PDB file of all heavy atoms in Angstrom:
ATOM      1  N   LEU A   1    -128.877  88.073  -0.018  1.00 97.00           N
ATOM      2  CA  LEU A   1    -128.402  89.053  -0.983  1.00 97.00           C
ATOM      3  C   LEU A   1    -128.483  90.462  -0.421  1.00 97.00           C
ATOM      4  O   LEU A   1    -129.446  90.817   0.261  1.00 97.00           O
ATOM      5  CB  LEU A   1    -129.232  88.994  -2.260  1.00 97.00           C
ATOM      6  CG  LEU A   1    -128.888  87.895  -3.270  1.00 97.00           C
ATOM      7  CD1 LEU A   1    -130.014  87.732  -4.274  1.00 97.00           C
ATOM      8  CD2 LEU A   1    -127.586  88.229  -3.980  1.00 97.00           C
ATOM      9  N   VAL A   2    -127.477  91.259  -0.759  1.00 98.00           N
ATOM     10  CA  VAL A   2    -127.483  92.686  -0.475  1.00 98.00           C
ATOM     11  C   VAL A   2    -127.283  93.405  -1.806  1.00 98.00           C
ATOM     12  O   VAL A   2    -126.436  93.007  -2.609  1.00 98.00           O
ATOM     13  CB  VAL A   2    -126.383  93.076   0.519  1.00 98.00           C
ATOM     14  CG1 VAL A   2    -126.367  94.598   0.720  1.00 98.00           C
ATOM     15  CG2 VAL A   2    -126.604  92.389   1.856  1.00 98.00           C
ATOM     16  N   TYR A   3    -128.068  94.448  -2.015  1.00 98.00           N
ATOM     17  CA  TYR A   3    -128.028  95.182  -3.269  1.00 98.00           C
ATOM     18  C   TYR A   3    -127.535  96.608  -3.042  1.00 98.00           C
ATOM     19  O   TYR A   3    -127.705  97.172  -1.961  1.00 98.00           O
ATOM     20  CB  TYR A   3    -129.417  95.257  -3.900  1.00 98.00           C
ATOM     21  CG  TYR A   3    -130.056  93.928  -4.175  1.00 98.00           C
ATOM     22  CD1 TYR A   3    -131.067  93.440  -3.354  1.00 98.00           C
ATOM     23  CD2 TYR A   3    -129.665  93.157  -5.263  1.00 98.00           C
ATOM     24  CE1 TYR A   3    -131.675  92.219  -3.609  1.00 98.00           C
ATOM     25  CE2 TYR A   3    -130.262  91.932  -5.525  1.00 98.00           C
ATOM     26  CZ  TYR A   3    -131.264  91.475  -4.693  1.00 98.00           C
ATOM     27  OH  TYR A   3    -131.867  90.268  -4.955  1.00 98.00           O
ATOM     28  N   LEU A   4    -126.986  97.159  -4.097  1.00 98.00           N
ATOM     29  CA  LEU A   4    -126.687  98.589  -4.124  1.00 98.00           C
ATOM     30  C   LEU A   4    -127.246  99.119  -5.432  1.00 98.00           C
ATOM     31  O   LEU A   4    -126.704  98.858  -6.507  1.00 98.00           O
ATOM     32  CB  LEU A   4    -125.184  98.867  -4.035  1.00 98.00           C
ATOM     33  CG  LEU A   4    -124.815 100.347  -3.957  1.00 98.00           C
ATOM     34  CD1 LEU A   4    -125.303 100.943  -2.622  1.00 98.00           C
ATOM     35  CD2 LEU A   4    -123.315 100.554  -4.106  1.00 98.00           C
ATOM     36  N   GLU A   5    -128.361  99.820  -5.312  1.00 98.00           N
ATOM     37  CA  GLU A   5    -128.977 100.453  -6.472  1.00 98.00           C
ATOM     38  C   GLU A   5    -128.344 101.826  -6.643  1.00 98.00           C
ATOM     39  O   GLU A   5    -128.402 102.655  -5.737  1.00 98.00           O
ATOM     40  CB  GLU A   5    -130.485 100.605  -6.258  1.00 98.00           C
ATOM     41  CG  GLU A   5    -131.227  99.302  -6.094  1.00 98.00           C
ATOM     42  CD  GLU A   5    -131.707  98.732  -7.429  1.00 98.00           C
ATOM     43  OE1 GLU A   5    -131.392  99.323  -8.483  1.00 98.00           O
ATOM     44  OE2 GLU A   5    -132.386  97.700  -7.422  1.00 98.00           O
ATOM     45  N   MET A   6    -127.763 102.043  -7.800  1.00 98.00           N
ATOM     46  CA  MET A   6    -127.067 103.297  -8.055  1.00 98.00           C
ATOM     47  C   MET A   6    -127.754 104.017  -9.213  1.00 98.00           C
ATOM     48  O   MET A   6    -127.952 103.425 -10.277  1.00 98.00           O
ATOM     49  CB  MET A   6    -125.602 103.031  -8.396  1.00 98.00           C
ATOM     50  CG  MET A   6    -124.870 102.213  -7.349  1.00 98.00           C
ATOM     51  SD  MET A   6    -123.120 101.978  -7.730  1.00 98.00           S
ATOM     52  CE  MET A   6    -123.246 100.921  -9.179  1.00 98.00           C
ATOM     53  N   SER A   7    -128.105 105.259  -9.011  1.00 98.00           N
ATOM     54  CA  SER A   7    -128.728 106.043 -10.066  1.00 98.00           C
ATOM     55  C   SER A   7    -128.039 107.404 -10.147  1.00 98.00           C
ATOM     56  O   SER A   7    -127.246 107.768  -9.281  1.00 98.00           O
ATOM     57  CB  SER A   7    -130.222 106.214  -9.790  1.00 98.00           C
ATOM     58  OG  SER A   7    -130.430 106.906  -8.581  1.00 98.00           O
ATOM     59  N   SER A   8    -128.373 108.137 -11.200  1.00 98.00           N
ATOM     60  CA  SER A   8    -127.744 109.443 -11.439  1.00 98.00           C
ATOM     61  C   SER A   8    -126.229 109.339 -11.311  1.00 98.00           C
ATOM     62  O   SER A   8    -125.582 110.176 -10.672  1.00 98.00           O
ATOM     63  CB  SER A   8    -128.293 110.485 -10.464  1.00 98.00           C
ATOM     64  OG  SER A   8    -129.691 110.610 -10.578  1.00 98.00           O
ATOM     65  N   LEU A   9    -125.691 108.318 -11.911  1.00 98.00           N
ATOM     66  CA  LEU A   9    -124.258 108.060 -11.772  1.00 98.00           C
ATOM     67  C   LEU A   9    -123.427 109.154 -12.402  1.00 98.00           C
ATOM     68  O   LEU A   9    -123.800 109.740 -13.427  1.00 98.00           O
ATOM     69  CB  LEU A   9    -123.920 106.692 -12.381  1.00 98.00           C
ATOM     70  CG  LEU A   9    -124.300 105.505 -11.498  1.00 98.00           C
ATOM     71  CD1 LEU A   9    -124.369 104.222 -12.312  1.00 98.00           C
ATOM     72  CD2 LEU A   9    -123.304 105.357 -10.355  1.00 98.00           C
ATOM     73  N   LYS A  10    -122.298 109.402 -11.765  1.00 98.00           N
ATOM     74  CA  LYS A  10    -121.370 110.438 -12.205  1.00 98.00           C
ATOM     75  C   LYS A  10    -120.016 109.804 -12.511  1.00 98.00           C
ATOM     76  O   LYS A  10    -119.685 108.748 -11.949  1.00 98.00           O
ATOM     77  CB  LYS A  10    -121.199 111.475 -11.093  1.00 98.00           C
ATOM     78  CG  LYS A  10    -122.488 112.092 -10.600  1.00 98.00           C
ATOM     79  CD  LYS A  10    -122.233 113.005  -9.413  1.00 98.00           C
ATOM     80  CE  LYS A  10    -123.527 113.595  -8.873  1.00 98.00           C
ATOM     81  NZ  LYS A  10    -123.288 114.475  -7.701  1.00 98.00           N
ATOM     82  N   PRO A  11    -119.218 110.445 -13.317  1.00 97.00           N
ATOM     83  CA  PRO A  11    -117.881 109.894 -13.600  1.00 97.00           C
ATOM     84  C   PRO A  11    -117.073 109.645 -12.328  1.00 97.00           C
ATOM     85  O   PRO A  11    -116.300 108.687 -12.264  1.00 97.00           O
ATOM     86  CB  PRO A  11    -117.249 110.971 -14.477  1.00 97.00           C
ATOM     87  CG  PRO A  11    -118.402 111.582 -15.198  1.00 97.00           C
ATOM     88  CD  PRO A  11    -119.511 111.602 -14.183  1.00 97.00           C
ATOM     89  N   GLU A  12    -117.279 110.478 -11.323  1.00 96.00           N
ATOM     90  CA  GLU A  12    -116.529 110.304 -10.080  1.00 96.00           C
ATOM     91  C   GLU A  12    -116.989 109.097  -9.265  1.00 96.00           C
ATOM     92  O   GLU A  12    -116.385 108.779  -8.243  1.00 96.00           O
ATOM     93  CB  GLU A  12    -116.594 111.573  -9.218  1.00 96.00           C
ATOM     94  CG  GLU A  12    -117.992 112.105  -8.999  1.00 96.00           C
ATOM     95  CD  GLU A  12    -118.340 113.238  -9.954  1.00 96.00           C
ATOM     96  OE1 GLU A  12    -118.035 113.110 -11.178  1.00 96.00           O
ATOM     97  OE2 GLU A  12    -118.933 114.234  -9.489  1.00 96.00           O
ATOM     98  N   ASP A  13    -118.043 108.432  -9.703  1.00 98.00           N
ATOM     99  CA  ASP A  13    -118.454 107.185  -9.062  1.00 98.00           C
ATOM    100  C   ASP A  13    -117.663 105.990  -9.595  1.00 98.00           C
ATOM    101  O   ASP A  13    -117.799 104.878  -9.080  1.00 98.00           O
ATOM    102  CB  ASP A  13    -119.944 106.925  -9.285  1.00 98.00           C
ATOM    103  CG  ASP A  13    -120.830 107.943  -8.591  1.00 98.00           C
ATOM    104  OD1 ASP A  13    -120.541 108.289  -7.426  1.00 98.00           O
ATOM    105  OD2 ASP A  13    -121.817 108.385  -9.214  1.00 98.00           O
ATOM    106  N   THR A  14    -116.865 106.228 -10.602  1.00 98.00           N
ATOM    107  CA  THR A  14    -116.042 105.160 -11.161  1.00 98.00           C
ATOM    108  C   THR A  14    -115.091 104.624 -10.112  1.00 98.00           C
ATOM    109  O   THR A  14    -114.345 105.380  -9.486  1.00 98.00           O
ATOM    110  CB  THR A  14    -115.243 105.679 -12.367  1.00 98.00           C
ATOM    111  OG1 THR A  14    -116.157 106.028 -13.417  1.00 98.00           O
ATOM    112  CG2 THR A  14    -114.268 104.626 -12.872  1.00 98.00           C
ATOM    113  N   ALA A  15    -115.149 103.319  -9.909  1.00 98.00           N
ATOM    114  CA  ALA A  15    -114.331 102.689  -8.871  1.00 98.00           C
ATOM    115  C   ALA A  15    -114.553 101.184  -8.910  1.00 98.00           C
ATOM    116  O   ALA A  15    -115.481 100.698  -9.568  1.00 98.00           O
ATOM    117  CB  ALA A  15    -114.696 103.231  -7.495  1.00 98.00           C
ATOM    118  N   VAL A  16    -113.725 100.491  -8.176  1.00 98.00           N
ATOM    119  CA  VAL A  16    -113.999  99.087  -7.878  1.00 98.00           C
ATOM    120  C   VAL A  16    -114.839  99.065  -6.613  1.00 98.00           C
ATOM    121  O   VAL A  16    -114.457  99.666  -5.596  1.00 98.00           O
ATOM    122  CB  VAL A  16    -112.701  98.289  -7.684  1.00 98.00           C
ATOM    123  CG1 VAL A  16    -113.022  96.850  -7.313  1.00 98.00           C
ATOM    124  CG2 VAL A  16    -111.857  98.329  -8.956  1.00 98.00           C
ATOM    125  N   TYR A  17    -115.964  98.409  -6.693  1.00 98.00           N
ATOM    126  CA  TYR A  17    -116.885  98.339  -5.562  1.00 98.00           C
ATOM    127  C   TYR A  17    -116.742  96.976  -4.870  1.00 98.00           C
ATOM    128  O   TYR A  17    -116.743  95.930  -5.531  1.00 98.00           O
ATOM    129  CB  TYR A  17    -118.317  98.546  -6.037  1.00 98.00           C
ATOM    130  CG  TYR A  17    -118.622  99.991  -6.345  1.00 98.00           C
ATOM    131  CD1 TYR A  17    -118.051 100.622  -7.457  1.00 98.00           C
ATOM    132  CD2 TYR A  17    -119.441 100.744  -5.515  1.00 98.00           C
ATOM    133  CE1 TYR A  17    -118.300 101.965  -7.730  1.00 98.00           C
ATOM    134  CE2 TYR A  17    -119.699 102.078  -5.779  1.00 98.00           C
ATOM    135  CZ  TYR A  17    -119.123 102.684  -6.890  1.00 98.00           C
ATOM    136  OH  TYR A  17    -119.364 104.010  -7.156  1.00 98.00           O
ATOM    137  N   TYR A  18    -116.657  97.036  -3.547  1.00 98.00           N
ATOM    138  CA  TYR A  18    -116.467  95.843  -2.746  1.00 98.00           C
ATOM    139  C   TYR A  18    -117.630  95.661  -1.783  1.00 98.00           C
ATOM    140  O   TYR A  18    -118.139  96.624  -1.207  1.00 98.00           O
ATOM    141  CB  TYR A  18    -115.184  95.936  -1.931  1.00 98.00           C
ATOM    142  CG  TYR A  18    -113.915  96.033  -2.741  1.00 98.00           C
ATOM    143  CD1 TYR A  18    -113.417  97.272  -3.127  1.00 98.00           C
ATOM    144  CD2 TYR A  18    -113.216  94.887  -3.109  1.00 98.00           C
ATOM    145  CE1 TYR A  18    -112.247  97.368  -3.866  1.00 98.00           C
ATOM    146  CE2 TYR A  18    -112.046  94.979  -3.852  1.00 98.00           C
ATOM    147  CZ  TYR A  18    -111.576  96.213  -4.227  1.00 98.00           C
ATOM    148  OH  TYR A  18    -110.425  96.306  -4.964  1.00 98.00           O
ATOM    149  N   CYS A  19    -117.985  94.421  -1.596  1.00 97.00           N
ATOM    150  CA  CYS A  19    -118.974  94.060  -0.603  1.00 97.00           C
ATOM    151  C   CYS A  19    -118.234  93.635   0.664  1.00 97.00           C
ATOM    152  O   CYS A  19    -117.190  92.969   0.570  1.00 97.00           O
ATOM    153  CB  CYS A  19    -119.818  92.917  -1.150  1.00 97.00           C
ATOM    154  SG  CYS A  19    -121.074  92.293  -0.039  1.00 97.00           S
ATOM    155  N   SER A  20    -118.762  94.006   1.815  1.00 97.00           N
ATOM    156  CA  SER A  20    -118.123  93.626   3.064  1.00 97.00           C
ATOM    157  C   SER A  20    -119.157  93.131   4.061  1.00 97.00           C
ATOM    158  O   SER A  20    -120.333  93.471   3.978  1.00 97.00           O
ATOM    159  CB  SER A  20    -117.356  94.799   3.664  1.00 97.00           C
ATOM    160  OG  SER A  20    -118.254  95.721   4.254  1.00 97.00           O
ATOM    161  N   ALA A  21    -118.664  92.344   5.006  1.00 97.00           N
ATOM    162  CA  ALA A  21    -119.503  91.851   6.091  1.00 97.00           C
ATOM    163  C   ALA A  21    -118.749  91.979   7.393  1.00 97.00           C
ATOM    164  O   ALA A  21    -117.597  91.555   7.480  1.00 97.00           O
ATOM    165  CB  ALA A  21    -119.900  90.398   5.839  1.00 97.00           C
ATOM    166  N   LEU A  22    -119.379  92.577   8.379  1.00 96.00           N
ATOM    167  CA  LEU A  22    -118.806  92.660   9.717  1.00 96.00           C
ATOM    168  C   LEU A  22    -119.528  91.648  10.593  1.00 96.00           C
ATOM    169  O   LEU A  22    -120.734  91.765  10.837  1.00 96.00           O
ATOM    170  CB  LEU A  22    -118.977  94.065  10.284  1.00 96.00           C
ATOM    171  CG  LEU A  22    -118.542  94.266  11.742  1.00 96.00           C
ATOM    172  CD1 LEU A  22    -117.059  93.931  11.905  1.00 96.00           C
ATOM    173  CD2 LEU A  22    -118.840  95.680  12.207  1.00 96.00           C
ATOM    174  N   ARG A  23    -118.779  90.657  11.052  1.00 95.00           N
ATOM    175  CA  ARG A  23    -119.371  89.580  11.834  1.00 95.00           C
ATOM    176  C   ARG A  23    -118.435  89.209  12.967  1.00 95.00           C
ATOM    177  O   ARG A  23    -117.274  88.893  12.721  1.00 95.00           O
ATOM    178  CB  ARG A  23    -119.621  88.358  10.937  1.00 95.00           C
ATOM    179  CG  ARG A  23    -120.343  87.199  11.621  1.00 95.00           C
ATOM    180  CD  ARG A  23    -120.294  85.986  10.742  1.00 95.00           C
ATOM    181  NE  ARG A  23    -121.223  84.947  11.161  1.00 95.00           N
ATOM    182  CZ  ARG A  23    -121.054  83.659  10.875  1.00 95.00           C
ATOM    183  NH1 ARG A  23    -120.028  83.264  10.160  1.00 95.00           N
ATOM    184  NH2 ARG A  23    -121.939  82.776  11.282  1.00 95.00           N
ATOM    185  N   GLY A  24    -118.915  89.308  14.157  1.00 91.00           N
ATOM    186  CA  GLY A  24    -118.103  88.930  15.307  1.00 91.00           C
ATOM    187  C   GLY A  24    -116.818  89.726  15.424  1.00 91.00           C
ATOM    188  O   GLY A  24    -115.796  89.198  15.870  1.00 91.00           O
ATOM    189  N   GLY A  25    -116.863  90.987  15.006  1.00 93.00           N
ATOM    190  CA  GLY A  25    -115.685  91.835  15.108  1.00 93.00           C
ATOM    191  C   GLY A  25    -114.697  91.693  13.977  1.00 93.00           C
ATOM    192  O   GLY A  25    -113.655  92.355  13.966  1.00 93.00           O
ATOM    193  N   THR A  26    -114.998  90.848  13.016  1.00 96.00           N
ATOM    194  CA  THR A  26    -114.113  90.617  11.887  1.00 96.00           C
ATOM    195  C   THR A  26    -114.775  91.088  10.598  1.00 96.00           C
ATOM    196  O   THR A  26    -115.953  90.810  10.376  1.00 96.00           O
ATOM    197  CB  THR A  26    -113.764  89.124  11.760  1.00 96.00           C
ATOM    198  OG1 THR A  26    -113.095  88.696  12.948  1.00 96.00           O
ATOM    199  CG2 THR A  26    -112.841  88.875  10.564  1.00 96.00           C
ATOM    200  N   TYR A  27    -113.986  91.777   9.771  1.00 96.00           N
ATOM    201  CA  TYR A  27    -114.459  92.184   8.458  1.00 96.00           C
ATOM    202  C   TYR A  27    -114.091  91.122   7.426  1.00 96.00           C
ATOM    203  O   TYR A  27    -112.966  90.636   7.389  1.00 96.00           O
ATOM    204  CB  TYR A  27    -113.831  93.514   8.038  1.00 96.00           C
ATOM    205  CG  TYR A  27    -114.515  94.722   8.624  1.00 96.00           C
ATOM    206  CD1 TYR A  27    -114.053  95.307   9.803  1.00 96.00           C
ATOM    207  CD2 TYR A  27    -115.632  95.279   8.008  1.00 96.00           C
ATOM    208  CE1 TYR A  27    -114.688  96.421  10.338  1.00 96.00           C
ATOM    209  CE2 TYR A  27    -116.268  96.389   8.542  1.00 96.00           C
ATOM    210  CZ  TYR A  27    -115.794  96.958   9.711  1.00 96.00           C
ATOM    211  OH  TYR A  27    -116.425  98.055  10.243  1.00 96.00           O
ATOM    212  N   TYR A  28    -115.055  90.809   6.609  1.00 97.00           N
ATOM    213  CA  TYR A  28    -114.842  89.909   5.482  1.00 97.00           C
ATOM    214  C   TYR A  28    -115.097  90.692   4.203  1.00 97.00           C
ATOM    215  O   TYR A  28    -115.969  91.562   4.165  1.00 97.00           O
ATOM    216  CB  TYR A  28    -115.790  88.700   5.559  1.00 97.00           C
ATOM    217  CG  TYR A  28    -115.581  87.862   6.792  1.00 97.00           C
ATOM    218  CD1 TYR A  28    -116.268  88.150   7.975  1.00 97.00           C
ATOM    219  CD2 TYR A  28    -114.697  86.789   6.787  1.00 97.00           C
ATOM    220  CE1 TYR A  28    -116.068  87.386   9.115  1.00 97.00           C
ATOM    221  CE2 TYR A  28    -114.499  86.017   7.920  1.00 97.00           C
ATOM    222  CZ  TYR A  28    -115.191  86.331   9.082  1.00 97.00           C
ATOM    223  OH  TYR A  28    -114.993  85.583  10.203  1.00 97.00           O
ATOM    224  N   TRP A  29    -114.321  90.372   3.182  1.00 97.00           N
ATOM    225  CA  TRP A  29    -114.417  91.110   1.928  1.00 97.00           C
ATOM    226  C   TRP A  29    -114.595  90.163   0.759  1.00 97.00           C
ATOM    227  O   TRP A  29    -113.982  89.089   0.719  1.00 97.00           O
ATOM    228  CB  TRP A  29    -113.151  91.937   1.712  1.00 97.00           C
ATOM    229  CG  TRP A  29    -112.925  92.954   2.773  1.00 97.00           C
ATOM    230  CD1 TRP A  29    -112.238  92.798   3.931  1.00 97.00           C
ATOM    231  CD2 TRP A  29    -113.424  94.295   2.774  1.00 97.00           C
ATOM    232  NE1 TRP A  29    -112.265  93.956   4.671  1.00 97.00           N
ATOM    233  CE2 TRP A  29    -112.981  94.899   3.982  1.00 97.00           C
ATOM    234  CE3 TRP A  29    -114.185  95.064   1.883  1.00 97.00           C
ATOM    235  CZ2 TRP A  29    -113.284  96.213   4.316  1.00 97.00           C
ATOM    236  CZ3 TRP A  29    -114.485  96.372   2.215  1.00 97.00           C
ATOM    237  CH2 TRP A  29    -114.034  96.934   3.419  1.00 97.00           C
ATOM    238  N   GLY A  30    -115.376  90.628  -0.202  1.00 94.00           N
ATOM    239  CA  GLY A  30    -115.475  89.910  -1.449  1.00 94.00           C
ATOM    240  C   GLY A  30    -114.541  90.530  -2.472  1.00 94.00           C
ATOM    241  O   GLY A  30    -113.962  91.595  -2.237  1.00 94.00           O
ATOM    242  N   LYS A  31    -114.401  89.868  -3.602  1.00 94.00           N
ATOM    243  CA  LYS A  31    -113.658  90.469  -4.693  1.00 94.00           C
ATOM    244  C   LYS A  31    -114.488  91.610  -5.258  1.00 94.00           C
ATOM    245  O   LYS A  31    -115.707  91.565  -5.249  1.00 94.00           O
ATOM    246  CB  LYS A  31    -113.365  89.435  -5.779  1.00 94.00           C
ATOM    247  CG  LYS A  31    -112.392  88.361  -5.340  1.00 94.00           C
ATOM    248  CD  LYS A  31    -112.086  87.404  -6.479  1.00 94.00           C
ATOM    249  CE  LYS A  31    -111.084  86.343  -6.020  1.00 94.00           C
ATOM    250  NZ  LYS A  31    -110.772  85.381  -7.113  1.00 94.00           N
ATOM    251  N   GLY A  32    -113.832  92.614  -5.717  1.00 95.00           N
ATOM    252  CA  GLY A  32    -114.524  93.788  -6.192  1.00 95.00           C
ATOM    253  C   GLY A  32    -115.140  93.615  -7.567  1.00 95.00           C
ATOM    254  O   GLY A  32    -114.804  92.714  -8.328  1.00 95.00           O
ATOM    255  N   THR A  33    -116.049  94.521  -7.860  1.00 97.00           N
ATOM    256  CA  THR A  33    -116.647  94.586  -9.191  1.00 97.00           C
ATOM    257  C   THR A  33    -116.479  96.019  -9.696  1.00 97.00           C
ATOM    258  O   THR A  33    -116.760  96.972  -8.976  1.00 97.00           O
ATOM    259  CB  THR A  33    -118.119  94.139  -9.156  1.00 97.00           C
ATOM    260  OG1 THR A  33    -118.655  94.109 -10.478  1.00 97.00           O
ATOM    261  CG2 THR A  33    -118.987  95.032  -8.286  1.00 97.00           C
ATOM    262  N   LEU A  34    -116.001  96.120 -10.925  1.00 98.00           N
ATOM    263  CA  LEU A  34    -115.648  97.432 -11.463  1.00 98.00           C
ATOM    264  C   LEU A  34    -116.863  98.143 -12.030  1.00 98.00           C
ATOM    265  O   LEU A  34    -117.600  97.577 -12.848  1.00 98.00           O
ATOM    266  CB  LEU A  34    -114.582  97.279 -12.550  1.00 98.00           C
ATOM    267  CG  LEU A  34    -114.150  98.553 -13.283  1.00 98.00           C
ATOM    268  CD1 LEU A  34    -113.513  99.541 -12.310  1.00 98.00           C
ATOM    269  CD2 LEU A  34    -113.181  98.194 -14.409  1.00 98.00           C
TER     270      LEU A  34
END
């Protein structure tokens, strides 16, 4: 598991957040979470 703890959130932080993995020179992406 990898976490992103977000605090003091601002309206400009609104976005779809994506998790990524760089492995062997290739990027892998998960589906985003809003």
